[in-house]
Amino acid sequence: MGDVNCNEDNSSDSDNNADATTMADSGFNSRGIGLRAQKKVLSKMATKKIAKAFIDDTMGELLDAGYQLCKDYIVTIKGGSKKEAEKVIKNIIKVTVKIGVLYKHDQFNQDELLIAEEFRKKFRSTIMTFVSFYEVDFSFDKNYLMKSLNECRDKLRRLVKRHLTEKSLNRIDHVFNFFADGEFLETVFESDTKCRIHLNQIVKGFNKLLEEEGI
């Protein structure tokens, strides 16, 4: 497995600029971005047998809905740029692809596989809690969800610290810090804003992944 080198993070700002046109509101396609990121990583490998999508249709639809949620919060509520929303979703995709490559090529040792299982269980539990907060009125607990998301971030960092660069670790921090932000969570769950309408699609995606054991 010496031909797999996930410590190299050669993505640059030019990559973001090249992808920017795909982020137009009407044409945003998470799976397409994921496949391009996968192709970039796989192009450095000796074998093509692993060349299958790490971002499937269900995950792509979920990420598209997540993008709309992030965009509406950042642009409508915070007065920021939609490029900030694009960055959040791109970072999810890049980290997902790299972890997928590491796993497919048996790069995790036994201790790391135990951490991976801890992360999977914690992340699944957090997603189930997220869904419950949406489906059950007056059940939302901001502090509990923030704590759970931060614990997921810490476990994921432990899992990949030996393999990925500081730049990739910062991507993990960026994603979890955004979604674990108390003001964001309150706006999504408690406020009667445009952001709330995207939760229905996101929860549908989460439920599908839970049913398919995709989380």
Side-chain angles (χ1 to χ4, degrees):
M1 294 302 171
D3 57 338
V4 179
N5 186 357
C6 283
N7 280 313
E8 292 297 327
D9 190 347
N10 295 322
S11 58
S12 64
D13 292 338
S14 62
D15 292 329
N16 292 337
N17 293 333
D19 283 337
T21 56
T22 70
M23 294 290 190
D25 293 351
S26 60
F28 183 80
N29 188 316
S30 295
R31 189 165 188 251
I33 296 169
L35 292 175
R36 285 198 297 277
Q38 175 190 331
K39 185 181 294 184
K40 182 174 180 179
V41 175
L42 294 174
S43 66
K44 302 175 183 178
M45 299 180 183
T47 177
K48 294 183 179 179
K49 291 182 180 179
I50 193 142
K52 60 181 180 179
F54 291 101
I55 307 294
D56 62 16
D57 290 338
T58 300
M59 183 64 74
E61 292 171 2
L62 181 58
L63 289 173
D64 287 344
Y67 166 69
Q68 294 299 329
L69 174 66
C70 294
K71 180 177 69 68
D72 283 346
Y73 175 75
I74 291 171
V75 176
T76 306
I77 306 299
K78 304 296 290 184
S81 167
K82 69 176 183 178
K83 290 185 179 297
E84 297 175 50
E86 295 166 6
K87 184 176 180 180
V88 172
I89 303 303
K90 284 183 182 180
N91 282 345
I92 293 174
I93 293 169
K94 289 175 181 178
V95 170
T96 299
V97 168
K98 289 184 179 183
I99 293 174
V101 169
L102 289 168
Y103 181 77
K104 291 290 186 181
H105 284 264
D106 299 320
Q107 297 298 295
F108 295 123
N109 61 32
Q110 288 302 310
D111 288 340
E112 288 166 341
L113 289 174
L114 291 175
I115 295 172
E117 182 60 15
E118 289 178 9
F119 169 78
R120 188 194 69 80
K121 289 179 178 178
K122 184 63 183 179
F123 189 65
R124 181 180 175 85
S125 173
T126 301
I127 294 303
M128 292 174 70
T129 300
F130 184 98
V131 171
S132 176
F133 286 167
Y134 173 78
E135 294 179 341
V136 181
D137 290 341
F138 309 113
S139 62
F140 173 63
D141 187 332
K142 177 186 71 175
N143 292 331
Y144 182 86
L145 199 51
M146 289 173 64
K147 182 175 181 291
S148 294
L149 286 167
N150 285 328
E151 288 175 359
C152 287
R153 178 200 60 204
D154 293 343
K155 290 181 187 299
L156 187 58
R157 273 181 135 268
R158 286 172 56 207
L159 172 63
V160 301
K161 186 175 182 180
R162 187 171 67 91
H163 304 279
L164 301 185
T165 63
E166 191 65 27
K167 186 174 183 179
S168 289
L169 295 178
N170 288 339
R171 287 192 176 113
I172 292 173
D173 289 342
H174 177 248
V175 169
F176 279 96
N177 289 345
F178 178 84
F179 288 107
D181 178 73
E183 185 178 354
F184 168 77
L185 293 173
E186 286 181 344
T187 300
V188 169
F189 278 97
E190 295 187 341
S191 302
D192 184 17
T193 67
K194 187 178 178 181
C195 297
R196 176 92 181 169
I197 65 175
H198 300 300
L199 276 189
N200 183 53
Q201 192 65 30
I202 290 172
V203 167
K204 284 182 179 178
F206 279 155
N207 277 328
K208 188 173 182 180
L209 287 176
L210 289 168
E211 292 170 3
E212 298 173 348
E213 298 292 326
I215 297 179

